[in-house]
Amino acid sequence: PEQPGALRIERLEVTYGRAVRALRGVGLTVAAGSVVALLGANGAGKSTLLRALSGTLRLHHGAITGGTARYDGRALNGTDPVAALRAGIVQVPEGRRVFAGMTVAENLRAGSLGRRDRGTAGIRAARERVHGLFPMLAERSGQRAGLLSGGEQQMLAIGRALMGAPRLLLLDEPSLGLAPMMVERIAGVVREINAQGTSVLLVEQNAAMALELADHAYVLDIGEVRLHGPAAELARTDEVSRLYLGDS
Ligand code: ATP
């Protein structure tokens, strides 16, 4: 029997164009309520995996060409972002990509557009949750997003994703390019979001941060899972500490 709210990926293959096999039979599970970290070198396939789950592969001329991804018992086809949102999955894209010319409030509103319950109490509740996590976004509601700092834009990108009321949040390198203090704040926010009941799949170059946050972790290598296990155990393996934690 399927565990409610679990993400279960089996033998997943993703191909770009005709020939680039970016995922070559990946298996991965995110238990309901958990934080899972996805590590690996550039080009390993981490972003590809997130795109398959958020239904955004077609934007990159990619498709699922084998295997299955199921969330809460529902099959995901890799190319339908609205279906993914309605299944409860929302991605924060790499590089933040907030709408720079729009205000903070407009960016947040954009995050709720795919919801069935537009204009209702559910959306007000989501906005209150976002303002609770990031009081700065309430204070700067009317300001253009392009004027925010990098860390603030990352907060807005996360806030916008939360407006879709995800049960599983996909984060693509939230710490990229941020100062250490801001990385700490983002880590704290991820912890809080998870404590509020949202599962998290976290792609990170900052392996130390990711392994500290995660219950479980996977290392991808050229489209395949090379290692996986409880995050604390993985952090102790020679391979992970040498390659990803900078220990010698
Ligand atoms: P990064 O940290 O650099 O984003 P990643 O682990 O997220 O790395 P992906 O971006 O998923 O890796 O890329 C996996 C493989 O798929 C790489 O070989 C990459 O060159 C290739 N790839 C990614 N996007 C496309 C695309 N739109 N068309 C063709 N190949 C692509």
Side-chain angles (χ1 to χ4, degrees), residues 31-183:
S34 69
V35 178
V36 171
L38 192 53
L39 311 177
N42 287 336
K46 305 178 301 293
S47 298
T48 299
L49 183 70
L50 296 192
R51 289 170 187 161
L53 299 174
S54 62
T56 52
L57 280 174
R58 193 180 289 147
L59 296 176
H60 305 273
H61 309 285
I64 292 177
T65 46
T68 54
R70 301 182 72 77
Y71 181 64
D72 208 14
R74 282 199 256 189
L76 303 166
N77 70 5
T79 53
D80 188 343
V82 174
L85 173 71
R86 289 185 177 164
I89 299 175
V90 179
Q91 178 172 357
V92 180
E94 187 178 348
R96 312 186 252 283
R97 286 196 240 119
V98 297
F99 304 116
M102 287 165 48
T103 66
V104 167
E106 286 164 347
N107 269 271
L108 292 182
R109 201 170 306 128
S112 64
L113 288 180
R115 291 176 62 145
R116 281 186 209 283
D117 56 347
R118 286 166 79 166
T120 66
I123 290 176
R124 265 202 308 280
R127 190 177 296 108
E128 273 162 29
R129 177 191 189 192
V130 168
H131 285 166
L133 284 164
F134 306 109
M136 177 273 304
L137 294 181
E139 290 154 18
R140 300 176 72 174
S141 250
Q143 191 167 106
R144 277 179 40 187
L147 298 175
L148 302 177
S149 73
E152 290 165 344
Q153 288 187 19
Q154 182 62 67
M155 292 179 186
L156 178 56
I158 294 171
R160 185 180 59 186
L162 292 176
M163 291 301 292
R167 291 183 297 151
L168 171 62
L169 183 68
L170 311 176
L171 284 166
D172 200 349
E173 310 222 1
S175 79
L176 198 68
L178 302 184
M181 209 165 82
M182 191 54 84
V183 173

